[in-house]
Amino acid sequence: VQLVESGGGPVDAGGSTRLSCTASGFTSDYYAIGWFRQAPGKEREGVSCIRSTSDESFTLNTMMGRVAIARDDAINTVYLKINPLKTEDTAVYYCAAVSYSSDSVSLCQQLFQRPDVATWGQGTLVTVSS
């Protein structure tokens, strides 16, 4: 599996950004793709996740209400939109994926609980200025 993020860059506080994660190489129809972020000097944290078989998303409380995650199956891409941006959103944003041989409503929870077994993209930097 390969994941390629894009869409980062400098943004003003109060604005919005849309990040893309294009995936390839899945051998199973059942997978979850999630977004994580790591701010300077801080630990990596999960942001949001979506499964391949459902439009229902899983977003952690810290970002609730400001993020939207969506999937475009035609181009194997998952998007993360953040609006409005805050200066504390400055971070490298990574997408990560886990896949399994069968479907489960807990795939996103599994991704956030066991990110060490996921496949990761290279990350994209979002810099929010006031």
Side-chain angles (χ1 to χ4, degrees):
V1 176
Q2 286 190 318
L3 304 172
V4 178
E5 301 99 333
S6 61
V11 191
D12 292 333
S16 65
T17 190
R18 189 180 76 163
L19 308 179
S20 302
C21 174
T22 300
S24 62
F26 283 116
T27 57
S28 169
D29 292 332
Y30 309 114
Y31 56 87
I33 294 180
W35 286 93
F36 294 75
R37 69 180 185 178
Q38 187 164 20
K42 295 188 177 181
E43 294 187 354
R44 183 182 61 198
E45 63 176 354
V47 176
S48 188
C49 175
I50 192 167
R51 293 186 291 127
S52 60
T53 57
S54 173
D55 290 333
E56 183 178 4
S57 62
F58 180 83
T59 298
L60 297 181
N61 290 335
T62 54
M63 300 289 287
M64 194 74 73
R66 297 198 296 122
V67 302
I69 190 169
R71 195 182 68 245
D72 187 337
D73 294 332
I75 56 173
N76 298 321
T77 297
V78 171
Y79 300 101
L80 181 74
K81 184 173 183 179
I82 308 173
N83 181 39
L85 282 161
K86 303 177 180 180
T87 55
E88 53 263 43
D89 293 324
T90 294
V92 178
Y93 286 76
Y94 301 89
C95 65
V98 289
S99 64
Y100 294 92
S101 58
S102 60
D103 197 13
S104 170
V105 296
S106 66
L107 286 184
C108 281
Q109 289 90 325
Q110 293 178 43
L111 172 61
F112 285 125
Q113 290 170 5
R114 290 294 310 276
D116 55 300
V117 301
T119 297
W120 290 82
Q122 82 285 357
T124 185
L125 175 63
V126 175
T127 304
V128 185
S129 58
S130 59

mmCIF file of all heavy atoms in Angstrom, residues 29-67:
data_model
loop_
_atom_site.group_PDB
_atom_site.id
_atom_site.type_symbol
_atom_site.label_atom_id
_atom_site.label_comp_id
_atom_site.label_asym_id
_atom_site.label_seq_id
_atom_site.Cartn_x
_atom_site.Cartn_y
_atom_site.Cartn_z
ATOM 1 N N ASP A 29 -10.817 -5.092 0.048
ATOM 2 C CA ASP A 29 -11.831 -4.051 -0.093
ATOM 3 C C ASP A 29 -12.134 -3.375 1.240
ATOM 4 O O ASP A 29 -12.879 -2.398 1.279
ATOM 5 C CB ASP A 29 -13.123 -4.646 -0.645
ATOM 6 C CG ASP A 29 -12.979 -5.108 -2.092
ATOM 7 O OD1 ASP A 29 -12.138 -4.540 -2.819
ATOM 8 O OD2 ASP A 29 -13.703 -6.039 -2.493
ATOM 9 N N TYR A 30 -11.566 -3.897 2.322
ATOM 10 C CA TYR A 30 -11.916 -3.411 3.654
ATOM 11 C C TYR A 30 -10.712 -2.712 4.283
ATOM 12 O O TYR A 30 -9.721 -3.357 4.652
ATOM 13 C CB TYR A 30 -12.373 -4.575 4.542
ATOM 14 C CG TYR A 30 -13.428 -5.420 3.880
ATOM 15 C CD1 TYR A 30 -13.170 -6.742 3.525
ATOM 16 C CD2 TYR A 30 -14.676 -4.885 3.581
ATOM 17 C CE1 TYR A 30 -14.131 -7.509 2.901
ATOM 18 C CE2 TYR A 30 -15.647 -5.648 2.956
ATOM 19 C CZ TYR A 30 -15.361 -6.950 2.609
ATOM 20 O OH TYR A 30 -16.314 -7.709 1.982
ATOM 21 N N TYR A 31 -10.798 -1.428 4.388
ATOM 22 C CA TYR A 31 -9.693 -0.675 4.961
ATOM 23 C C TYR A 31 -10.216 0.618 5.574
ATOM 24 O O TYR A 31 -11.357 1.022 5.350
ATOM 25 C CB TYR A 31 -8.619 -0.362 3.905
ATOM 26 C CG TYR A 31 -9.108 0.366 2.692
ATOM 27 C CD1 TYR A 31 -9.187 1.757 2.668
ATOM 28 C CD2 TYR A 31 -9.495 -0.334 1.546
ATOM 29 C CE1 TYR A 31 -9.642 2.428 1.550
ATOM 30 C CE2 TYR A 31 -9.943 0.332 0.422
ATOM 31 C CZ TYR A 31 -10.017 1.706 0.432
ATOM 32 O OH TYR A 31 -10.469 2.364 -0.680
ATOM 33 N N ALA A 32 -9.373 1.228 6.369
ATOM 34 C CA ALA A 32 -9.674 2.527 6.960
ATOM 35 C C ALA A 32 -8.496 3.444 6.678
ATOM 36 O O ALA A 32 -7.330 3.029 6.757
ATOM 37 C CB ALA A 32 -9.883 2.401 8.469
ATOM 38 N N ILE A 33 -8.797 4.662 6.321
ATOM 39 C CA ILE A 33 -7.773 5.680 6.112
ATOM 40 C C ILE A 33 -8.037 6.804 7.093
ATOM 41 O O ILE A 33 -9.149 7.323 7.183
ATOM 42 C CB ILE A 33 -7.779 6.214 4.673
ATOM 43 C CG1 ILE A 33 -7.365 5.091 3.706
ATOM 44 C CG2 ILE A 33 -6.835 7.409 4.537
ATOM 45 C CD1 ILE A 33 -7.331 5.503 2.246
ATOM 46 N N GLY A 34 -7.005 7.144 7.828
ATOM 47 C CA GLY A 34 -7.140 8.186 8.835
ATOM 48 C C GLY A 34 -6.090 9.264 8.674
ATOM 49 O O GLY A 34 -5.077 9.074 7.999
ATOM 50 N N TRP A 35 -6.378 10.382 9.286
ATOM 51 C CA TRP A 35 -5.427 11.498 9.314
ATOM 52 C C TRP A 35 -4.919 11.678 10.733
ATOM 53 O O TRP A 35 -5.693 11.636 11.701
ATOM 54 C CB TRP A 35 -6.102 12.784 8.842
ATOM 55 C CG TRP A 35 -6.323 12.826 7.370
ATOM 56 C CD1 TRP A 35 -7.435 12.434 6.693
ATOM 57 C CD2 TRP A 35 -5.399 13.290 6.380
ATOM 58 N NE1 TRP A 35 -7.267 12.625 5.345
ATOM 59 C CE2 TRP A 35 -6.026 13.150 5.120
ATOM 60 C CE3 TRP A 35 -4.107 13.827 6.427
ATOM 61 C CZ2 TRP A 35 -5.405 13.526 3.924
ATOM 62 C CZ3 TRP A 35 -3.490 14.196 5.246
ATOM 63 C CH2 TRP A 35 -4.133 14.041 4.010
ATOM 64 N N PHE A 36 -3.623 11.894 10.822
ATOM 65 C CA PHE A 36 -2.953 12.211 12.076
ATOM 66 C C PHE A 36 -2.203 13.522 11.861
ATOM 67 O O PHE A 36 -1.977 13.943 10.727
ATOM 68 C CB PHE A 36 -1.938 11.120 12.451
ATOM 69 C CG PHE A 36 -2.555 9.786 12.779
ATOM 70 C CD1 PHE A 36 -3.052 8.956 11.771
ATOM 71 C CD2 PHE A 36 -2.623 9.340 14.086
ATOM 72 C CE1 PHE A 36 -3.605 7.717 12.067
ATOM 73 C CE2 PHE A 36 -3.167 8.106 14.396
ATOM 74 C CZ PHE A 36 -3.654 7.295 13.388
ATOM 75 N N ARG A 37 -1.782 14.113 12.956
ATOM 76 C CA ARG A 37 -0.950 15.297 12.831
ATOM 77 C C ARG A 37 0.067 15.331 13.960
ATOM 78 O O ARG A 37 -0.151 14.757 15.024
ATOM 79 C CB ARG A 37 -1.792 16.569 12.831
ATOM 80 C CG ARG A 37 -2.457 16.892 14.177
ATOM 81 C CD ARG A 37 -3.263 18.164 14.064
ATOM 82 N NE ARG A 37 -3.815 18.558 15.357
ATOM 83 C CZ ARG A 37 -4.525 19.661 15.537
ATOM 84 N NH1 ARG A 37 -4.772 20.473 14.510
ATOM 85 N NH2 ARG A 37 -4.996 19.951 16.735
ATOM 86 N N GLN A 38 1.173 16.008 13.685
ATOM 87 C CA GLN A 38 2.200 16.194 14.696
ATOM 88 C C GLN A 38 2.661 17.641 14.648
ATOM 89 O O GLN A 38 3.286 18.073 13.658
ATOM 90 C CB GLN A 38 3.377 15.247 14.510
ATOM 91 C CG GLN A 38 4.372 15.309 15.658
ATOM 92 C CD GLN A 38 5.313 14.131 15.672
ATOM 93 O OE1 GLN A 38 5.510 13.452 14.675
ATOM 94 N NE2 GLN A 38 5.922 13.878 16.824
ATOM 95 N N ALA A 39 2.337 18.370 15.700
ATOM 96 C CA ALA A 39 2.743 19.768 15.811
ATOM 97 C C ALA A 39 4.168 19.835 16.352
ATOM 98 O O ALA A 39 4.637 18.889 17.002
ATOM 99 C CB ALA A 39 1.786 20.505 16.733
ATOM 100 N N PRO A 40 4.862 20.933 16.112
ATOM 101 C CA PRO A 40 6.234 21.072 16.605
ATOM 102 C C PRO A 40 6.321 20.867 18.117
ATOM 103 O O PRO A 40 5.581 21.494 18.880
ATOM 104 C CB PRO A 40 6.596 22.508 16.222
ATOM 105 C CG PRO A 40 5.717 22.823 15.069
ATOM 106 C CD PRO A 40 4.436 22.098 15.316
ATOM 107 N N GLY A 41 7.179 19.951 18.530
ATOM 108 C CA GLY A 41 7.379 19.707 19.949
ATOM 109 C C GLY A 41 6.305 18.913 20.635
ATOM 110 O O GLY A 41 6.326 18.753 21.855
ATOM 111 N N LYS A 42 5.364 18.394 19.863
ATOM 112 C CA LYS A 42 4.263 17.645 20.457
ATOM 113 C C LYS A 42 4.200 16.234 19.897
ATOM 114 O O LYS A 42 4.797 15.926 18.866
ATOM 115 C CB LYS A 42 2.940 18.368 20.226
ATOM 116 C CG LYS A 42 2.840 19.723 20.916
ATOM 117 C CD LYS A 42 1.440 20.290 20.799
ATOM 118 C CE LYS A 42 1.327 21.612 21.557
ATOM 119 N NZ LYS A 42 -0.043 22.181 21.477
ATOM 120 N N GLU A 43 3.451 15.396 20.576
ATOM 121 C CA GLU A 43 3.282 14.032 20.105
ATOM 122 C C GLU A 43 2.272 13.993 18.961
ATOM 123 O O GLU A 43 1.411 14.853 18.827
ATOM 124 C CB GLU A 43 2.808 13.137 21.252
ATOM 125 C CG GLU A 43 3.832 12.956 22.365
ATOM 126 C CD GLU A 43 3.378 11.937 23.388
ATOM 127 O OE1 GLU A 43 2.239 11.464 23.296
ATOM 128 O OE2 GLU A 43 4.186 11.615 24.276
ATOM 129 N N ARG A 44 2.384 12.953 18.180
ATOM 130 C CA ARG A 44 1.436 12.742 17.102
ATOM 131 C C ARG A 44 0.058 12.454 17.682
ATOM 132 O O ARG A 44 -0.070 11.756 18.688
ATOM 133 C CB ARG A 44 1.899 11.578 16.239
ATOM 134 C CG ARG A 44 1.042 11.273 15.034
ATOM 135 C CD ARG A 44 1.595 10.063 14.316
ATOM 136 N NE ARG A 44 1.593 8.890 15.166
ATOM 137 C CZ ARG A 44 2.315 7.795 14.925
ATOM 138 N NH1 ARG A 44 3.107 7.748 13.867
ATOM 139 N NH2 ARG A 44 2.241 6.763 15.738
ATOM 140 N N GLU A 45 -0.980 12.980 17.046
ATOM 141 C CA GLU A 45 -2.339 12.718 17.498
ATOM 142 C C GLU A 45 -3.236 12.410 16.311
ATOM 143 O O GLU A 45 -3.014 12.900 15.202
ATOM 144 C CB GLU A 45 -2.899 13.917 18.270
ATOM 145 C CG GLU A 45 -3.037 15.181 17.459
ATOM 146 C CD GLU A 45 -3.677 16.318 18.244
ATOM 147 O OE1 GLU A 45 -4.118 16.098 19.381
ATOM 148 O OE2 GLU A 45 -3.755 17.429 17.693
ATOM 149 N N GLY A 46 -4.224 11.602 16.546
ATOM 150 C CA GLY A 46 -5.188 11.288 15.509
ATOM 151 C C GLY A 46 -6.158 12.428 15.302
ATOM 152 O O GLY A 46 -6.421 13.212 16.215
ATOM 153 N N VAL A 47 -6.669 12.540 14.089
ATOM 154 C CA VAL A 47 -7.607 13.613 13.756
ATOM 155 C C VAL A 47 -8.957 13.040 13.328
ATOM 156 O O VAL A 47 -9.969 13.256 13.976
ATOM 157 C CB VAL A 47 -7.033 14.512 12.647
ATOM 158 C CG1 VAL A 47 -8.068 15.572 12.243
ATOM 159 C CG2 VAL A 47 -5.736 15.171 13.094
ATOM 160 N N SER A 48 -8.965 12.299 12.242
ATOM 161 C CA SER A 48 -10.221 11.799 11.716
ATOM 162 C C SER A 48 -9.946 10.587 10.848
ATOM 163 O O SER A 48 -8.826 10.365 10.383
ATOM 164 C CB SER A 48 -10.934 12.890 10.902
ATOM 165 O OG SER A 48 -12.247 12.485 10.543
ATOM 166 N N CYS A 49 -11.000 9.797 10.612
ATOM 167 C CA CYS A 49 -10.822 8.540 9.887
ATOM 168 C C CYS A 49 -12.121 8.187 9.170
ATOM 169 O O CYS A 49 -13.217 8.553 9.620
ATOM 170 C CB CYS A 49 -10.441 7.441 10.878
ATOM 171 S SG CYS A 49 -10.317 5.782 10.189
ATOM 172 N N ILE A 50 -11.989 7.444 8.074
ATOM 173 C CA ILE A 50 -13.149 6.975 7.342
ATOM 174 C C ILE A 50 -12.867 5.580 6.826
ATOM 175 O O ILE A 50 -11.723 5.249 6.494
ATOM 176 C CB ILE A 50 -13.492 7.941 6.177
ATOM 177 C CG1 ILE A 50 -14.876 7.625 5.593
ATOM 178 C CG2 ILE A 50 -12.410 7.928 5.105
ATOM 179 C CD1 ILE A 50 -15.391 8.733 4.668
ATOM 180 N N ARG A 51 -13.903 4.743 6.801
ATOM 181 C CA ARG A 51 -13.735 3.377 6.310
ATOM 182 C C ARG A 51 -14.092 3.286 4.840
ATOM 183 O O ARG A 51 -14.824 4.110 4.307
ATOM 184 C CB ARG A 51 -14.618 2.413 7.111
ATOM 185 C CG ARG A 51 -14.209 2.252 8.547
ATOM 186 C CD ARG A 51 -15.055 1.178 9.208
ATOM 187 N NE ARG A 51 -16.437 1.557 9.384
ATOM 188 C CZ ARG A 51 -17.479 0.832 8.972
ATOM 189 N NH1 ARG A 51 -17.285 -0.300 8.320
ATOM 190 N NH2 ARG A 51 -18.702 1.229 9.210
ATOM 191 N N SER A 52 -13.604 2.244 4.214
ATOM 192 C CA SER A 52 -13.849 2.063 2.790
ATOM 193 C C SER A 52 -15.292 1.703 2.488
ATOM 194 O O SER A 52 -15.759 1.909 1.368
ATOM 195 C CB SER A 52 -12.940 0.958 2.236
ATOM 196 O OG SER A 52 -13.195 -0.272 2.920
ATOM 197 N N THR A 53 -16.005 1.161 3.442
ATOM 198 C CA THR A 53 -17.351 0.665 3.195
ATOM 199 C C THR A 53 -18.439 1.530 3.819
ATOM 200 O O THR A 53 -19.606 1.134 3.827
ATOM 201 C CB THR A 53 -17.494 -0.765 3.731
ATOM 202 O OG1 THR A 53 -17.176 -0.778 5.127
ATOM 203 C CG2 THR A 53 -16.568 -1.715 2.986
ATOM 204 N N SER A 54 -18.068 2.683 4.331
ATOM 205 C CA SER A 54 -19.064 3.526 4.974
ATOM 206 C C SER A 54 -18.664 4.987 4.831
ATOM 207 O O SER A 54 -17.485 5.321 4.830
ATOM 208 C CB SER A 54 -19.183 3.178 6.465
ATOM 209 O OG SER A 54 -20.019 4.096 7.136
ATOM 210 N N ASP A 55 -19.657 5.855 4.708
ATOM 211 C CA ASP A 55 -19.382 7.284 4.692
ATOM 212 C C ASP A 55 -19.325 7.864 6.103
ATOM 213 O O ASP A 55 -19.036 9.043 6.278
ATOM 214 C CB ASP A 55 -20.451 8.021 3.877
ATOM 215 C CG ASP A 55 -20.333 7.731 2.401
ATOM 216 O OD1 ASP A 55 -19.216 7.414 1.935
ATOM 217 O OD2 ASP A 55 -21.363 7.812 1.704
ATOM 218 N N GLU A 56 -19.597 7.007 7.082
ATOM 219 C CA GLU A 56 -19.539 7.478 8.460
ATOM 220 C C GLU A 56 -18.096 7.733 8.851
ATOM 221 O O GLU A 56 -17.214 6.916 8.583
ATOM 222 C CB GLU A 56 -20.153 6.442 9.393
ATOM 223 C CG GLU A 56 -20.219 6.869 10.838
ATOM 224 C CD GLU A 56 -20.886 5.815 11.708
ATOM 225 O OE1 GLU A 56 -21.223 4.738 11.169
ATOM 226 O OE2 GLU A 56 -21.061 6.063 12.905
ATOM 227 N N SER A 57 -17.832 8.858 9.443
ATOM 228 C CA SER A 57 -16.477 9.210 9.828
ATOM 229 C C SER A 57 -16.306 9.106 11.334
ATOM 230 O O SER A 57 -17.280 9.053 12.088
ATOM 231 C CB SER A 57 -16.135 10.619 9.358
ATOM 232 O OG SER A 57 -17.003 11.564 9.970
ATOM 233 N N PHE A 58 -15.072 9.087 11.748
ATOM 234 C CA PHE A 58 -14.693 8.986 13.159
ATOM 235 C C PHE A 58 -13.714 10.111 13.403
ATOM 236 O O PHE A 58 -12.613 10.106 12.860
ATOM 237 C CB PHE A 58 -14.067 7.618 13.404
ATOM 238 C CG PHE A 58 -13.640 7.388 14.819
ATOM 239 C CD1 PHE A 58 -14.543 6.973 15.773
ATOM 240 C CD2 PHE A 58 -12.313 7.559 15.191
ATOM 241 C CE1 PHE A 58 -14.144 6.738 17.082
ATOM 242 C CE2 PHE A 58 -11.907 7.327 16.497
ATOM 243 C CZ PHE A 58 -12.820 6.915 17.436
ATOM 244 N N THR A 59 -14.132 11.102 14.173
ATOM 245 C CA THR A 59 -13.290 12.277 14.420
ATOM 246 C C THR A 59 -13.050 12.424 15.915
ATOM 247 O O THR A 59 -13.986 12.310 16.707
ATOM 248 C CB THR A 59 -13.951 13.544 13.865
ATOM 249 O OG1 THR A 59 -14.100 13.411 12.448
ATOM 250 C CG2 THR A 59 -13.110 14.782 14.160
ATOM 251 N N LEU A 60 -11.798 12.677 16.269
ATOM 252 C CA LEU A 60 -11.473 12.826 17.676
ATOM 253 C C LEU A 60 -11.973 14.167 18.203
ATOM 254 O O LEU A 60 -12.110 15.135 17.462
ATOM 255 C CB LEU A 60 -9.970 12.668 17.887
ATOM 256 C CG LEU A 60 -9.442 11.287 17.513
ATOM 257 C CD1 LEU A 60 -7.948 11.194 17.761
ATOM 258 C CD2 LEU A 60 -10.181 10.208 18.286
ATOM 259 N N ASN A 61 -12.213 14.194 19.503
ATOM 260 C CA ASN A 61 -12.882 15.344 20.107
ATOM 261 C C ASN A 61 -12.167 16.664 19.884
ATOM 262 O O ASN A 61 -12.795 17.706 19.774
ATOM 263 C CB ASN A 61 -13.059 15.103 21.606
ATOM 264 C CG ASN A 61 -14.077 14.019 21.884
ATOM 265 O OD1 ASN A 61 -14.962 13.773 21.072
ATOM 266 N ND2 ASN A 61 -13.954 13.364 23.020
ATOM 267 N N THR A 62 -10.845 16.605 19.823
ATOM 268 C CA THR A 62 -10.091 17.849 19.730
ATOM 269 C C THR A 62 -10.377 18.612 18.446
ATOM 270 O O THR A 62 -10.195 19.824 18.396
ATOM 271 C CB THR A 62 -8.585 17.572 19.818
ATOM 272 O OG1 THR A 62 -8.235 16.610 18.826
ATOM 273 C CG2 THR A 62 -8.204 17.058 21.195
ATOM 274 N N MET A 63 -10.832 17.916 17.429
ATOM 275 C CA MET A 63 -11.075 18.570 16.148
ATOM 276 C C MET A 63 -12.547 18.579 15.765
ATOM 277 O O MET A 63 -12.903 19.063 14.692
ATOM 278 C CB MET A 63 -10.288 17.860 15.044
ATOM 279 C CG MET A 63 -8.785 17.860 15.252
ATOM 280 S SD MET A 63 -8.053 19.478 15.023
ATOM 281 C CE MET A 63 -8.153 19.652 13.253
ATOM 282 N N MET A 64 -13.378 18.058 16.625
ATOM 283 C CA MET A 64 -14.797 17.930 16.303
ATOM 284 C C MET A 64 -15.390 19.284 15.932
ATOM 285 O O MET A 64 -15.163 20.282 16.615
ATOM 286 C CB MET A 64 -15.543 17.341 17.493
ATOM 287 C CG MET A 64 -16.929 16.857 17.179
ATOM 288 S SD MET A 64 -16.930 15.325 16.244
ATOM 289 C CE MET A 64 -16.434 14.179 17.527
ATOM 290 N N GLY A 65 -16.165 19.306 14.865
ATOM 291 C CA GLY A 65 -16.817 20.533 14.442
ATOM 292 C C GLY A 65 -16.011 21.379 13.476
ATOM 293 O O GLY A 65 -16.554 22.294 12.849
ATOM 294 N N ARG A 66 -14.744 21.081 13.334
ATOM 295 C CA ARG A 66 -13.908 21.868 12.426
ATOM 296 C C ARG A 66 -13.329 21.047 11.291
ATOM 297 O O ARG A 66 -12.672 21.606 10.411
ATOM 298 C CB ARG A 66 -12.755 22.541 13.188
ATOM 299 C CG ARG A 66 -13.191 23.551 14.225
ATOM 300 C CD ARG A 66 -12.036 24.459 14.611
ATOM 301 N NE ARG A 66 -10.959 23.725 15.264
ATOM 302 C CZ ARG A 66 -9.706 23.695 14.812
ATOM 303 N NH1 ARG A 66 -9.377 24.343 13.706
ATOM 304 N NH2 ARG A 66 -8.776 23.031 15.477
ATOM 305 N N VAL A 67 -13.527 19.757 11.309
ATOM 306 C CA VAL A 67 -12.971 18.931 10.246
ATOM 307 C C VAL A 67 -14.077 18.151 9.548
ATOM 308 O O VAL A 67 -15.100 17.818 10.140
ATOM 309 C CB VAL A 67 -11.890 17.961 10.770
ATOM 310 C CG1 VAL A 67 -10.771 18.703 11.437
ATOM 311 C CG2 VAL A 67 -12.488 16.923 11.691
#
